[in-house]
Structure formats: C-alpha cells, structure tokens
Amino acid sequence: MNIEKFQESMYKLIVETSTNLPKDVRRAIKAAAERENAGTRSAMSLDTIKNNIKMADDNVSPICQDTGLPTFKIKTPVGANQIEMKKAIYNAIAQATKDGKLRPNSVDSLTGENSGDNLGGGTPVIKFEQWEKDHIDARLILKGGGCENKNIQYSLPAELEGLGRAGRDLDGIRKCIMHSVYQAQGQGCSAGFIGVGIGGDRSSGYDLAKEQLFRTVDDVNPHPELRDLEEYVMENANKLGIGTMGFGGETTLLGCKVGVMNRIPASFYVSVAYNCWAYRRLGVAVNPESGEIQEWMYQEGEKIDFAQPAAQEIAAAVEAPVEQNVVTLTAPITEEQIRELKVGDVVRIDGMMYTGRDAIHKYLSDHDSPVDLNGQVIYHCGPVMLKDEEGNWHVKAAGPTTSIREEPYQGDIMKKFGIRAVIGKGGMGAKTLASLKEHGGVYLNAIGGAAQYYADCIKSVEGVDLMNFGIPEAMWHLNVEGFTAVVTMDSHGNSLHEEVEKSSLEKLAQFADRVYK
C-alpha cells in the first residue's frame, strides 16, 4: 500500500466528518424543524442548528467544538499491514488537530496534562477487523463528551423511575430505552440519536450499542422484533416533550437503532449510546494498494443544503415566542439587572466574557482568579483555537459544553467572585439554583453544538490565562457581539430544566404498562 496516500485519505475522512454533516442526519434535522411549532424555543434552536450546519460547510470548520474521542472501525483484506495503517491514522489525527479541524482532547487521566495533538494512551480508538472483500472499509465517528456522558447501561431486572420494574424480556428492554431518553433530558444536545445493545457483557454491550450508530438513520432493521421496537421508541419517545436542547417541544429523538447479541445466564445488560444532534460519522472505501479513496459512504438520498437565513430572520426566530423579552447585557452586570430577568427571556451579550470549564472551576474553588470576575459572565466552553504567524489567537469553534459537571462548584464560585451570569447548555441543579436566588445570578442556555454560530459572535480574543490546563480548559478572554442565549434558570428560583424534567417524567409514566406480552 502507498501509506502516504492512505494517510492523506484518513486526513480527508477526519476533516469531512468534523465539518460536513452526513446527508441522512441533515434530512432528520430538516424533518424535525418542519414538525416543530413555529415561534417556540425549540424552533429557534433548530433554526440556529441549521444555520450552524451551513456555516460549518462554508468555513470547513468543526460543526461542534467538541470533536470527541475519534473512533475508527476499519475492515481490511487479509494481508493489510495494520501496524502501518495505525501509524498513518495517528499522523492524520495530529495534522487535523494542528489545522484546527479537531480540538485537542487527549488528556492524561492522572496528571490532567493535555497532549495537544489528540494522541496518547488509548486515543484515538482504532478497531480493526479482517474481511474477505478486496477493499478497506474505514469509518469514523466523532462523539462529543456531552452526549457520551449520557450513555447509560441497565442490568436487568431493575426498578426504573416512572416505569417500575423492567424484567428480562422485550418489555423490560423497551422500558430501559424509554428511560434512557428521559434521563438524557437536554444535556446530550437533544434532539439526539441512540444506539442500543442488548446482551453481551458490560464492555461488549456498549461496543454493540456504539456500533448501531454506524447504521444509516433511515435503514430498516432486518430483525422483525427489533424493527418494531425501534419504531415504537421513535413514536413514543417524541411524546415525552423534552424537545430540542431540553426546551420542551415536539422532537426529542431523531433516530433509534437496536442490535442484539448473546449473553451469559447471570447477566442481562441493555446498553444505550446517546449521540447529539451533531451526529458526525462518515466512512470511505479505500483501495488497499493505492491507499486512495474509491467511494464515500452515507451518500444515499438528498443532501439538504441549509440556506443561511438573513440576520433579521434569525433575530425574528429568536424573538418570536409570545411574551419573550430580549435584553442586552454588557459586563460588569449589576444584581439589579439580573433580578429583572426571568425564565424565557432572551439575553444578548455584548462585550467581555470568560471561558471556564472543569479545570477552571476546580482551580477557582481553591485559588484567586487571574482576572476580576465581579459582575462578569462565565462561559462553559472549550473552544477550538488556532494561533496565526503573528502569535494572535483565533476562535475556530466555540459552542457551549454541558454545565451539570460544574454543579459542585458553580454556586460557591459565583458568590466568591461576584459572577452574575453563567452560559452553558443542559442546565444545572438545585445547589446552583439556590445560589442564583441568594446571590442574584442567572443561567443562560446557549444552543449546544452551534460552534460556528457562536464563534461568529466572538470578535476578538483579548487574552488567555491558565494555558497549563490545555486549550479546551484554559480561561479565554473573549470580546463578543450579539451572543444570544435563553434564560432557563433565574434569580427567583425558577428553572425551565426542572419544569421539563418533571413534565417528561409524568409523560414517561404513561408507558409503564406492559406492551410486549
């Protein structure tokens, strides 16, 4: 094999997967947008998502800033040199990271050190399999941490909230899948796709679940019982009312794929792999001699080229919900300004904000801040950054990360430093809500995965602190204009996330009765 050409082919696969959403996923998102009621928060979110997909196309930049843990599934003819192929993939991953097509995501689990090139122990994941065909089948999925954290595994029998007992049968499996969608809420960037693995052990069950994510959205399961199960879940999960970003709405799930394998008598696992709307998986057929791409996979059907709406149309979509207020804030923000906000208001941020993720929150709990955060805005974001030849930093992708990870720290840090607003996705818990009420703070939900949309709002990078944590975890000083998000937790004790979770649990309970005899 021409290994240099193979490396070039893998680089192309990585870039396309990161920047160009597959045709079947686009069609699913278009259908969801058409089902959604006009003028709702979910409709606004889907409009932003469509705009973001188009911007990623135009900019050849990551759809979402969290490019996840790259996972390759590769089938090779007998005799292919998998050792050399793996080296070529490593080189392609490092180059794509250097070029800003992937975020550096490989972190030493003990020291916290980021390798900077997405290479390290266990990263990327490469799974080889031999087959008797005469070409190489190489597939890649980029599954971000927000949705990866909403994966769940059930050991049957089990008692499930809202659904009661799930036994070791098809009806118990049904209950597990429905519960998996409920427990994800909006934290995995709904509306999402799920892969389900029935059977196996704890590791092979999850492998089977993730393998289902390599199927096309509109394929038909050849197993009659599993086909019926997939159809049941798609019909009824969308009755839970969780909606896009967990804002409530008509579409909660965009796809459900189920696989099955044998198990041992003592174990019965149902494993669910949750994937966000930014469902980034592609594949190529590669000539084993030349190393060149022969064919791109997932190309069936129409490709939706989302037309980029004009700025006034985006603004109209944001402002459309009845009784929705739009407030412009510029830091430093006062407590009085915060107390005037309520759940459902749309906030436009102009001026400075500072990124802060897991490492920053832990650091701030024990140390002073490198900047004055009194009256300021913290953005839960790990951006994709590139430095130019003059040493200036540029933002390539900058959507929100899942906020619930900061729950142990957030309220205390807001009170300690005087922070007034936090931007993220998926909402936060009771401790943070209580602190917002006591301190006078607000939580703003940005649209998860909309990394190009928000990067466009960032007009300059004014500085950076704590780079020793790595690019995603550093504190970036961002000057923004027109950065729009929705108040979902206010200073009066109200939480949209709490309301949607309570409502969806009540709806989930309607599916407790046995369906499969």
Side-chain angles (χ1 to χ4, degrees), residues 319-326 342-345:
E319 297 171 22
V322 178
E323 299 182 359
Q324 194 170 67
N325 190 26
V326 181
K342 63 182 185 299
V343 165
D345 288 346

Side-chain angles (χ1 to χ4, degrees), residues 58-74:
D58 293 344
N59 299 335
V60 194
S61 289
I63 298 162
C64 174
Q65 79 288 340
D66 187 354
T67 52
L69 176 60
T71 300
F72 293 84
K73 286 181 64 69
I74 303 178

Side-chain angles (χ1 to χ4, degrees), residues 364-439:
L364 291 179
S365 66
D366 300 322
H367 301 83
D368 289 335
S369 172
V371 296
D372 183 3
L373 292 175
N374 189 38
Q376 298 297 323
V377 180
I378 286 289
Y379 183 24
H380 294 163
C381 172
V384 178
M385 307 292 295
L386 277 185
K387 184 183 285 188
D388 62 26
E389 294 179 355
E390 286 74 39
N392 300 312
W393 287 101
H394 300 276
V395 181
K396 304 301 292 182
T401 194
T402 308
S403 297
I404 196 65
R405 301 195 308 272
E406 319 312 337
E407 178 68 9
Y409 306 106
Q410 193 67 76
D412 294 337
I413 288 174
M414 292 186 78
K415 290 184 285 187
K416 178 180 178 181
F417 295 103
I419 297 165
R420 291 296 173 192
V422 171
I423 304 174
K425 71 175 176 73
M428 304 194 75
K431 181 180 177 182
T432 298
L433 185 61
S435 295
L436 297 178
K437 185 175 182 179
E438 175 189 348
H439 166 65

Side-chain angles (χ1 to χ4, degrees), residues 100-346:
K101 309 304 182 182
L102 296 176
R103 187 178 71 183
N105 272 354
S106 181
V107 177
D108 187 300
S109 298
L110 298 181
T111 68
E113 184 178 352
N114 192 311
S115 70
D117 58 6
N118 273 308
L119 302 179
T123 57
V125 174
I126 306 174
K127 298 183 177 181
F128 284 106
E129 179 183 342
Q130 285 190 334
W131 66 350
E132 294 182 347
K133 295 185 179 181
D134 62 358
H135 69 275
I136 296 168
D137 181 306
R139 305 189 186 216
L140 169 64
I141 187 167
L142 301 175
K143 189 172 182 294
C147 61
E148 181 69 13
N149 289 346
K150 301 315 295 184
N151 292 356
I152 191 168
Q153 190 173 66
Y154 302 88
S155 179
L156 299 183
E159 289 289 330
L160 302 180
E161 184 181 16
L163 293 169
R165 182 174 302 142
R168 291 185 163 194
D169 56 18
L170 193 57
D171 204 66
I173 295 165
R174 171 191 69 86
K175 287 184 176 181
C176 290
I177 300 173
M178 290 294 292
H179 184 269
S180 76
V181 178
Y182 159 75
Q183 64 86 35
Q185 290 293 305
Q187 293 176 11
C189 283
S190 58
F193 302 80
I194 55 174
V196 181
I198 303 168
D201 62 9
R202 287 206 180 269
S203 61
S204 63
Y206 264 133
D207 284 343
L208 179 62
K210 284 194 174 183
E211 187 176 318
Q212 304 312 303
L213 296 176
F214 284 98
R215 290 169 54 188
T216 58
V217 174
D218 44 13
D219 74 357
V220 176
N221 198 316
H223 193 297
E225 288 183 309
L226 298 186
R227 179 171 65 247
D228 290 346
L229 181 60
E230 291 174 356
E231 291 173 355
Y232 172 91
V233 171
M234 284 302 298
E235 177 183 355
N236 292 292
N238 284 314
K239 295 177 182 177
L240 295 178
I242 295 168
T244 306
M245 296 298 124
F247 288 165
E250 300 301 312
T251 304
T252 298
L253 195 64
L254 295 170
C256 172
K257 302 298 174 184
V258 185
V260 64
M261 60 169 50
N262 284 9
R263 60 181 177 84
I264 61 174
S267 301
F268 197 124
Y269 296 112
V270 178
S271 309
V272 182
Y274 189 97
N275 205 98
C276 58
W277 70 260
Y279 184 10
R280 294 157 290 171
R281 57 96 175 90
L282 282 173
V284 289
V286 176
N287 186 302
E289 295 181 0
S290 69
E292 295 181 333
I293 295 172
Q294 294 177 322
E295 181 183 1
W296 284 88
M297 300 171 189
Y298 305 102
Q299 300 304 306
E300 298 82 7
E302 178 189 8
K303 179 177 181 178
I304 308 300
D305 183 15
F306 292 113
Q308 188 168 1
Q312 61 267 27
E313 292 175 332
I314 298 172
V318 169
E319 297 171 22
V322 178
E323 299 182 359
Q324 194 170 67
N325 190 26
V326 181
V327 179
T328 299
L329 295 177
T330 302
I333 304 167
T334 65
E335 180 179 349
E336 290 71 25
Q337 288 175 291
I338 293 297
R339 295 289 183 189
E340 291 176 358
L341 297 173
K342 63 182 185 299
V343 165
D345 288 346
V346 171

